[in-house]
Amino acid sequence: MRFTAIFYEPDGRITSVQKNATENVVGDRTYIKADLDGEPDDFYVVDGEVRPKLDKPSDAHVFDYSSASWGLDINEARSQAWGRIKKDRDSEEFSTFTWNSHTFQCDQVSQFRIMSAVQSAQIDSTLTMIWTLYDNTTVSLNATELKQVGQALSAHIDACHTKARALRSQIDAATTEVDLNAITW
């Protein structure tokens, strides 16, 4: 007679499922005969029965088979929080910054262009450039102003990273998911 065999560890963790199994095939491994409607990772075995796990609260939770409940892996939760903050930091760093009431783009290409213009201004103190701003208006900048724009860009980048480091310290100190969720950019 053929059946579905659910193989599991003593803690209830399902290790594999074999459909159309026979007594000869399963051997002496621990199993139960049961149907499984879904992925084995969504179930566990307790008291000889297959039971569904409750919905996983977040990607940072791991299933504790001894208590049959989800527990927070604080290190994984911290890692995810830091990943979220880095994404937000990068978004702000590569967005815009303001100098002298003018808003400049500062994506990677724009940062390269600004630093190239700053280098040119250091070489030629008589340099003047027409610069296209974030809103597509233009402004004439002399060598001194180009250097100031470069300094403003550097200050903007530094402010983003300073803020991220402070948030990283909060993440490292957090001990609960609520603490971590309260840390925002």
Side-chain angles (χ1 to χ4, degrees):
M1 180 172 171
R2 298 195 178 273
F3 55 89
T4 299
I6 311 292
F7 297 95
Y8 64 97
E9 297 292 327
D11 66 359
R13 182 185 324 263
I14 296 175
T15 57
S16 65
V17 176
Q18 184 176 353
K19 294 185 182 212
N20 295 319
T22 64
E23 296 293 339
N24 296 344
V25 173
V26 295
D28 61 355
R29 295 183 289 169
T30 303
Y31 73 95
I32 59 172
K33 296 177 183 179
D35 288 323
L36 191 66
D37 186 23
E39 295 297 317
D41 286 344
D42 295 334
F43 297 88
Y44 65 103
V45 176
V46 65
D47 297 329
E49 293 182 27
V50 174
R51 295 194 182 156
K53 295 176 183 175
L54 297 175
D55 289 338
K56 188 174 183 177
S58 77
D59 287 340
H61 282 76
V62 292
F63 194 75
D64 178 0
Y65 289 90
S66 63
S67 67
S69 64
W70 293 100
L72 180 68
D73 178 340
I74 191 67
N75 291 326
E76 178 60 25
R78 285 178 182 140
S79 177
Q80 290 177 12
W82 177 235
R84 179 175 39 85
I85 292 300
K86 286 193 318 184
K87 184 178 176 186
D88 292 343
R89 178 201 64 202
D90 289 350
S91 180
E92 184 166 326
E93 178 182 346
F94 298 112
S95 62
T96 62
F97 71 99
T98 303
W99 170 82
N100 200 21
S101 301
H102 300 296
T103 302
F104 291 79
Q105 289 175 259
C106 61
D107 56 70
Q108 288 181 327
V109 172
S110 297
Q111 287 185 24
F112 175 78
R113 289 177 180 149
I114 291 168
M115 296 319 294
S116 179
V118 168
Q119 284 180 326
S120 294
Q122 289 173 330
I123 295 168
D124 181 0
S125 62
T126 64
L127 178 69
T128 298
M129 293 181 116
I130 304 297
W131 199 268
T132 303
L133 300 170
Y134 174 71
D135 64 0
N136 285 325
T137 61
T138 59
V139 62
S140 177
L141 301 170
N142 63 34
T144 300
E145 292 168 328
L146 285 167
K147 291 176 194 175
Q148 292 170 350
V149 169
Q151 289 171 331
L153 171 61
S154 293
H156 166 76
I157 293 168
D158 182 58
C160 291
H161 286 266
T162 298
K163 181 176 180 178
R165 283 190 300 275
L167 293 173
R168 177 64 187 253
S169 293
Q170 291 177 29
I171 289 168
D172 290 344
T175 58
T176 68
E177 189 173 26
V178 171
D179 293 343
L180 289 168
N181 289 338
I183 300 169
T184 61
W185 186 257

